[in-house]
Amino acid sequence: MPPIRSQSSRNREEQEGRILLAIQALKNQEIASTREAARRFNVPNSTLSTRLKGVQNRAISRANSHKLTDIEEESLQKWIISLDTRGAAPRPSTVRETANLLLAARGSIPVQIVGEKWVYNFVKRHPDLLTRFSKRYNYERAKCEDPKVIREWFSLVQKTILSYGIDSDDIYNFDETGFAMGLIATAKVITRREFYGRRALLQPGNREWVTAIECINASGWALPPCVIFKGKVFVESWFDGLPKDWRLEVSPNGWTSDEIGLRWLEKLFIPSTSS
């Protein structure tokens, strides 16, 4: 049996319907003034004026700190997750602007806006969202993680292996990577309580570039690396304590070159893979 509504409840619902009709008539410019609309639709002028300013019906409104409705917040959350999935997670300022657009779409005068801290409270209300630092990610590198492209590449490799009967012991992958010596990375540090914000760490002047050539076999074993330092003359005493099978090179800028690559093939790769 459905619940029996009181007379006052029915009256409030009827008044709410008349208020909505009055607002619609004012927006369509069918009635010139708020006072006239209140008289025609038999609603309090003060209530109608308040609703025109964007204040929602108390019976269906949320807490005062929640400017958006449940549906609006759910839509905003889905939009954020969609952007994040595509590698374009929005900044707090962008989320705030989008929330203001949703409020502006209501057509209330004056237009409501969310506060400076609204985004952070919004994130707290939604367990699926989290504020964190971002990092740059190259678009070309991201394309290399496309599952479709990866599957096609591995299919081509597998066909080539089967076509020519290539053994896994004869498959190698090598690459070179570069890094700067002496660069300080972001990390948590312990400082005096009197300081606020992030503490600056002094960056040493030494930022010489070093390149490493690495190679691994498809069966799981790796060749010794070849490390290229910046320099003109190779000084063996610089490298005490390193494994004997590592190959060390020098170049004017710490990068690889055709000559170094050829020596790597002749002195390291071929001897290591021929035995």
Side-chain angles (χ1 to χ4, degrees):
M1 181 177 179
I4 300 176
R5 293 179 296 171
S6 63
Q7 182 65 37
S8 60
S9 176
R10 290 196 296 270
N11 290 340
R12 285 195 298 270
E13 291 181 2
E14 291 175 0
Q15 178 176 289
E16 176 63 20
R18 294 196 301 272
I19 290 175
L20 294 177
L21 291 174
I23 293 174
Q24 188 66 33
L26 287 169
K27 288 184 177 180
N28 294 337
Q29 298 182 349
E30 298 173 2
I31 302 177
S33 67
T34 305
R35 187 177 299 276
E36 177 63 19
R39 186 187 65 79
R40 289 192 187 184
F41 289 93
N42 190 26
V43 295
N45 181 49
S46 58
T47 303
L48 180 59
S49 299
T50 302
R51 294 293 299 280
L52 285 171
K53 294 178 181 178
V55 179
Q56 292 182 315
N57 179 15
R58 195 65 179 176
I60 62 173
S61 64
R62 308 172 68 201
N64 291 335
S65 60
H66 298 183
K67 293 290 184 68
L68 302 182
T69 64
D70 285 330
I71 296 177
E72 289 171 334
E73 287 207 358
E74 182 181 355
S75 300
L76 185 59
Q77 178 183 355
K78 290 181 178 179
W79 173 74
I80 293 172
I81 294 175
S82 175
L83 287 179
D84 184 41
T85 304
R86 290 175 281 168
R91 296 183 178 183
S93 58
T94 305
V95 176
R96 184 168 178 262
E97 291 172 0
T98 305
N100 288 334
L101 288 175
L102 291 174
L103 291 173
R106 296 177 180 175
S108 59
I109 300 175
V111 178
Q112 286 187 308
I113 61 173
V114 297
E116 292 290 338
K117 301 295 183 181
W118 182 88
V119 174
Y120 301 99
N121 293 329
F122 171 78
V123 172
K124 290 179 181 179
R125 292 195 296 272
H126 295 81
D128 293 337
L129 302 179
L130 182 66
T131 302
R132 65 183 67 189
F133 289 104
S134 63
K135 63 179 181 180
R136 290 175 295 179
Y137 196 49
N138 185 270
Y139 173 70
E140 294 298 329
R141 182 179 292 272
K143 288 198 301 183
C144 295
E145 295 185 359
D146 186 341
K148 182 176 182 296
V149 176
I150 293 175
R151 282 194 294 268
E152 291 177 353
W153 187 86
F154 275 102
S155 297
L156 177 60
V157 172
Q158 189 64 28
K159 289 179 181 178
T160 304
I161 292 173
L162 294 176
S163 299
Y164 295 94
I166 302 174
D167 190 77
S168 60
D169 289 335
D170 296 325
I171 300 175
Y172 296 88
N173 180 43
F174 81 95
D175 196 4
E176 60 178 15
T177 181
F179 52 91
M181 297 177 61
L183 285 181
I184 290 180
T186 301
K188 286 187 177 180
V189 295
I190 301 175
T191 67
R192 286 170 286 177
R193 185 180 295 273
E194 62 196 66
F195 289 105
Y196 294 92
R198 293 192 176 189
R199 294 294 292 142
L201 298 180
L202 295 179
Q203 171 64 56
N206 178 18
R207 299 187 186 181
E208 293 183 357
W209 191 259
V210 178
T211 302
I213 301 177
E214 302 162 335
C215 182
I216 188 171
N217 182 269
S219 59
W221 62 276
L223 275 69
C226 174
V227 185
I228 307 167
F229 295 89
K230 180 181 179 181
K232 295 182 179 180
V233 180
F234 181 83
V235 180
E236 190 172 354
S237 61
W238 292 351
F239 312 107
D240 291 340
L242 293 179
K244 298 296 184 181
D245 57 352
W246 283 28
R247 181 162 185 83
L248 305 175
E249 294 274 0
V250 293
S251 69
N253 51 17
W255 300 349
T256 187
S257 64
D258 293 341
E259 293 78 11
I260 292 177
L262 180 59
R263 286 198 296 269
W264 177 80
L265 283 171
E266 294 176 342
K267 304 295 184 181
L268 182 61
F269 181 80
I270 294 176
S272 299
T273 57
S274 299
S275 57

